[in-house]
Amino acid sequence: MQRLPIPENGKKTSIRIDKPKSTCSVRTIPICRDFAKILRKYKTTNAYFLTGQPDCFIEPRTMENRFAKLLVHCGLPYVKFHTTRHTFATRCIEAGINPKTLQDLLGHSNFNLTMSLYGHCLADTKQAAMDTMILAI
């Protein structure tokens, strides 16, 4: 789901629901078992998750606005909702998640893309890994 410009009128936009842009974007993303149990209570077939209705979705701009209000409420600086994806990826690397696994989770078709975006995070994890090895000896 994306809000994209209408080709005939560059100023207006419309919601488009279509296939993902690449085959790597179609993926199964595991979630923690405790969260899965909670979500099963709300399971509805052929419905949008946030509304539970098959013909009513939440507009992406509405989600962005709600996220911005949540940040204000929490006293946090403004960032775009998409930034949470980068935070997730960075935290995965810091937690020692294998970069190839991260590539699959993010839906990147190319390992080099994942590494060019998040490889800088590996410096600290490399040091931590080496410190762990010293302690293991």
Side-chain angles (χ1 to χ4, degrees), residues 47-76:
Y48 290 98
F49 172 70
L50 294 175
T51 64
Q53 300 173 21
D55 57 351
C56 180
F57 56 82
I58 293 183
E59 151 75 69
R61 286 190 289 200
T62 301
M63 283 301 299
E64 189 74 38
N65 292 336
R66 288 180 182 174
F67 182 66
K69 288 178 183 176
L70 181 63
L71 292 173
V72 169
H73 179 75
C74 294
L76 297 170

Side-chain angles (χ1 to χ4, degrees), residues 44-105:
T44 306
T45 56
N46 298 322
Y48 290 98
F49 172 70
L50 294 175
T51 64
Q53 300 173 21
D55 57 351
C56 180
F57 56 82
I58 293 183
E59 151 75 69
R61 286 190 289 200
T62 301
M63 283 301 299
E64 189 74 38
N65 292 336
R66 288 180 182 174
F67 182 66
K69 288 178 183 176
L70 181 63
L71 292 173
V72 169
H73 179 75
C74 294
L76 297 170
Y78 173 78
V79 294
K80 291 183 178 185
F81 185 76
H82 187 76
T83 302
T84 61
R85 176 181 165 90
H86 296 292
T87 301
F88 169 78
T90 301
R91 297 297 175 255
C92 283
I93 289 175
E94 290 173 352
I97 303 278
N98 180 302
K100 180 67 177 157
T101 300
L102 181 60
Q103 173 198 345
D104 294 341
L105 289 171

Side-chain angles (χ1 to χ4, degrees), residues 2-21:
Q2 298 181 78
R3 177 166 282 288
L4 298 170
I6 299 172
E8 310 83 53
N9 184 339
K11 292 184 180 183
K12 291 193 175 191
T13 60
S14 67
I15 294 293
R16 300 224 182 115
I17 301 172
D18 205 348
K19 295 175 189 169
K21 56 186 170 181

